[in-house]
Amino acid sequence: MNDRTEAAAGGGWTLTTRVTALFALLACLVVTSLGIYLDDAARQALAQRADQALIGRVEHFRTLMQDLYNVEQMEQRPALFESMMGNEQDVRIFRRRNEAPFIQSNPDHLVPPPMEPLPVDQPVSAANLITSTRDDGVKVRWVSALADVGRGRGQGGDTVEIVAAYVMVQEARMMRSYRWRIAGAAAAAVLLTALLGFLLLRRGLQPLVAMSQRAAQITPDHLSARLEQDGMPAELRRVALSFNAMLDRLEAGYAHLAQFSGDLAHEIRTPINVLMGQSQVALGQRRSPEEYEQLLESNVEELQRLARIVENILFLAQADHATLAVECTQLDLSEELGKITDYFEGIADERGMRFELAAQGVCQANLIMWRRAVNNLVINAVRYGEPDSSIRIQAHSDDGGSRIIVENRSDDVTPHAMVRMFDRFYRGDLSRSAFTESNGLGLAIVKAIMALHRGTATVECPQPGWIRFTLSFPPAATLP
């Protein structure tokens, strides 16, 4: 997708545009901060140079005055002092204390600020300078110092006040030019940074664009498609791995749902076809009351079978969405398992099977669900166990929880079959399942009940010709 299509689909700026704008803003802040720092550094450097020039010239005036005989010599040679300032706008005023200036150069007629002259023996420093501002915003640095005329010749009769000012005209002009250059350089740097950032982002996000195009090809009919991982950056490779793992789970869930829907339709179709066929045959001609009664009894059996299927499916659906509340109580394993073996003893006798029970300890579980899970395992052992054999039921508990084991003799079961035994509508022996009228949901319900109790249900072959189902309930402290 191009940027315009991506923007329209996302309802705003694209990721490339957003990151470029943020990158340009960051570059603008950095460059502007650097420009402000450089401007301040240049301004301070120029101000320091101007202060040094002003201090140097005033000290030079003091030295010259020490070599003169008297003030009259200064009055006779004013050009010597007037030519010693750098700018034409600089101020030079020489006067006796509390008298009118006898040498004055002040082209802009600047008014000196109130200043206390420095004593003769105190050198001029930057701390003694005073700043004022002209009407055009140019800064002026002022200083006032006293000097003895003829002191160097041993006379030292007159004391002269020197008032000098440095007008920072050149510095102001240089700073204006410098600021324009900084602004131009900053603008060019921001634009260049934004352009290069945009190009680099477009190139760097190409794997993400390819990933999105690949993801757009994944549909319910093409769930086997996966995102490319080779050649991807490390960050996107982790995203691709997580996304592909999610697709694996979705594909498995979608296949399971499709298989479940097909199995459900098959299971419901059989009793419905039986009901329809028997009813149509009965309506084909007049029947006796006894025949109608037999038909109704047969239909009731099929309807009960449908009801059991619907009930089991509803239970599994509720278990999948965790909508069932599990209220656990303490169960005596020996007592409860004894009741179950007594209940199924008649069915087991019909096949010549007997129970071997060894149970002790207690179990924390929901009584109704616990009975349903164990009942399903026991009826499964009676249905699929070898005739004239034993069904072993063992149970014990400890600090790690409680375990219930149901074993029966059976044909050897393949590992693939054991993996699928807890799947819904799975039946390993179709002929025997048809005989026992199993709908393939018993073990799936067992697994769902154990999940609600945060336990596990496992199956294994402890030895050839035997199959073992184990229910492991956690301790009471870990139950919901």
Side-chain angles (χ1 to χ4, degrees), residues 35-281:
I36 293 174
Y37 170 77
L38 294 177
D39 178 83
D40 185 69
R43 181 182 56 79
Q44 292 182 7
L46 291 176
Q48 185 178 8
R49 189 187 70 171
D51 292 347
Q52 291 175 353
L54 179 59
I55 293 171
R57 290 186 181 111
V58 171
E59 293 293 344
H60 187 57
F61 288 153
R62 282 180 162 181
T63 302
L64 288 178
M65 290 181 185
Q66 291 177 4
D67 294 335
L68 298 178
Y69 290 99
N70 50 46
V71 176
E72 286 74 11
Q73 287 183 312
M74 295 179 61
E75 295 175 344
Q76 294 171 2
R77 303 170 62 186
L80 176 64
F81 295 93
E82 292 178 356
S83 62
M84 291 184 182
M85 297 302 286
N87 299 326
E88 295 180 357
Q89 294 85 359
D90 290 346
V91 178
R92 299 165 292 272
I93 299 176
F94 299 87
R95 63 189 178 190
R96 291 185 178 90
R97 297 295 300 272
N98 301 324
E99 294 184 5
F102 56 85
I103 297 178
Q104 179 173 348
S105 176
N106 191 357
D108 296 331
H109 305 287
L110 300 176
V111 178
M115 293 180 291
E116 184 67 26
L118 296 176
V120 175
D121 297 332
Q122 180 178 347
V124 182
S125 65
N128 305 127
L129 303 184
I130 297 176
T131 303
S132 67
T133 305
R134 291 196 324 187
D135 294 339
D136 57 357
V138 177
K139 291 184 178 182
V140 182
R141 298 284 280 171
W142 295 87
V143 69
S144 176
L146 297 178
D148 284 341
V149 179
R151 184 177 181 181
R153 294 180 178 272
Q155 299 180 5
D158 293 332
T159 299
V160 175
E161 180 184 1
I162 305 171
V163 178
Y166 187 96
V167 183
M168 303 178 66
V169 177
Q170 295 180 356
E171 288 77 5
R173 188 180 301 114
M174 291 175 60
M175 287 305 301
R176 282 194 298 269
S177 176
Y178 184 67
R179 284 166 184 160
W180 279 109
R181 290 184 179 181
I182 288 179
V190 171
L191 291 177
L192 183 60
T193 301
L195 178 61
L196 292 178
F198 179 78
L199 295 177
L200 290 176
L201 279 171
R202 282 187 63 87
R203 182 177 179 83
L205 292 177
Q206 283 299 320
L208 188 59
V209 174
M211 183 181 294
S212 66
Q213 293 174 348
R214 181 67 172 174
Q217 300 175 1
I218 300 175
T219 63
D221 297 331
H222 298 85
L223 283 177
S224 59
R226 295 294 182 268
L227 299 183
E228 294 292 340
Q229 302 176 16
D230 298 336
M232 287 286 183
E235 295 81 0
L236 292 182
R237 190 180 301 115
R238 289 194 293 268
V239 174
L241 286 172
S242 301
F243 196 82
N244 287 339
M246 179 190 69
L247 288 176
D248 291 338
R249 294 191 296 271
L250 287 177
E251 185 178 14
Y254 195 85
H256 178 72
L257 180 61
Q259 181 66 33
F260 178 79
S261 300
D263 292 340
L264 178 60
H266 177 74
E267 290 294 331
I268 294 178
R269 182 180 60 184
T270 300
I272 290 177
N273 288 338
V274 171
L275 289 171
M276 292 177 59
Q278 291 179 349
S279 299
Q280 289 173 354
V281 171

Side-chain angles (χ1 to χ4, degrees), residues 13 15-29 194 201:
W13 289 5
L15 178 62
T16 303
T17 306
R18 291 180 181 179
V19 176
T20 300
L22 292 176
F23 192 64
L25 177 61
L26 180 62
C28 181
L29 293 176
L201 279 171

Side-chain angles (χ1 to χ4, degrees), residues 148-424:
D148 284 341
V149 179
R151 184 177 181 181
R153 294 180 178 272
Q155 299 180 5
D158 293 332
T159 299
V160 175
E161 180 184 1
I162 305 171
V163 178
Y166 187 96
V167 183
M168 303 178 66
V169 177
Q170 295 180 356
E171 288 77 5
R173 188 180 301 114
M174 291 175 60
M175 287 305 301
R176 282 194 298 269
S177 176
Y178 184 67
R179 284 166 184 160
W180 279 109
R181 290 184 179 181
I182 288 179
V190 171
L191 291 177
L192 183 60
T193 301
L195 178 61
L196 292 178
F198 179 78
L199 295 177
L200 290 176
L201 279 171
R202 282 187 63 87
R203 182 177 179 83
L205 292 177
Q206 283 299 320
L208 188 59
V209 174
M211 183 181 294
S212 66
Q213 293 174 348
R214 181 67 172 174
Q217 300 175 1
I218 300 175
T219 63
D221 297 331
H222 298 85
L223 283 177
S224 59
R226 295 294 182 268
L227 299 183
E228 294 292 340
Q229 302 176 16
D230 298 336
M232 287 286 183
E235 295 81 0
L236 292 182
R237 190 180 301 115
R238 289 194 293 268
V239 174
L241 286 172
S242 301
F243 196 82
N244 287 339
M246 179 190 69
L247 288 176
D248 291 338
R249 294 191 296 271
L250 287 177
E251 185 178 14
Y254 195 85
H256 178 72
L257 180 61
Q259 181 66 33
F260 178 79
S261 300
D263 292 340
L264 178 60
H266 177 74
E267 290 294 331
I268 294 178
R269 182 180 60 184
T270 300
I272 290 177
N273 288 338
V274 171
L275 289 171
M276 292 177 59
Q278 291 179 349
S279 299
Q280 289 173 354
V281 171
L283 294 174
Q285 59 183 356
R286 297 184 63 85
R287 305 288 180 177
S288 65
E290 292 78 8
E291 291 176 330
Y292 284 120
E293 184 178 352
Q294 293 177 358
L295 173 64
L296 291 176
E297 291 177 355
S298 177
N299 288 349
V300 167
E301 293 178 358
E302 296 298 331
L303 290 173
Q304 289 176 344
R305 181 181 178 186
L306 277 174
R308 287 193 299 270
I309 294 175
V310 172
E311 179 186 359
N312 291 336
I313 292 174
L314 287 177
F315 177 83
L316 291 173
Q318 291 174 346
D320 286 343
H321 294 284
T323 58
L324 291 180
V326 180
E327 297 181 0
C328 298
T329 58
Q330 183 171 292
L331 309 178
D332 185 281
L333 293 175
S334 178
E335 179 182 354
E336 293 297 331
L337 289 174
K339 293 179 181 179
I340 292 176
T341 54
D342 290 343
Y343 180 80
F344 288 104
E345 186 175 4
I347 302 176
D349 287 340
E350 293 179 0
R351 303 197 65 205
M353 306 177 76
R354 59 191 177 276
F355 292 108
E356 296 179 3
L357 177 61
Q360 62 180 358
V362 294
C363 177
Q364 286 290 134
N366 180 275
L367 177 59
I368 297 177
M369 293 186 183
W370 183 91
R371 286 177 176 175
R372 188 170 188 178
V374 178
N375 285 344
N376 286 353
L377 290 184
V378 173
I379 193 63
N380 184 77
V382 173
R383 285 175 176 174
Y384 299 105
E386 291 184 1
D388 302 321
S389 63
S390 298
I391 299 176
R392 301 173 183 172
I393 302 177
Q394 304 174 23
H396 66 276
S397 61
D398 50 31
D399 294 338
S402 57
R403 299 178 66 192
I404 301 170
I405 301 174
V406 178
E407 295 180 330
N408 63 275
R409 295 192 62 85
S410 178
D411 297 334
D412 292 338
V413 182
T414 63
H416 175 72
M418 285 192 294
V419 171
R420 296 197 57 196
M421 276 188 177
F422 292 100
D423 292 346
R424 299 172 186 179

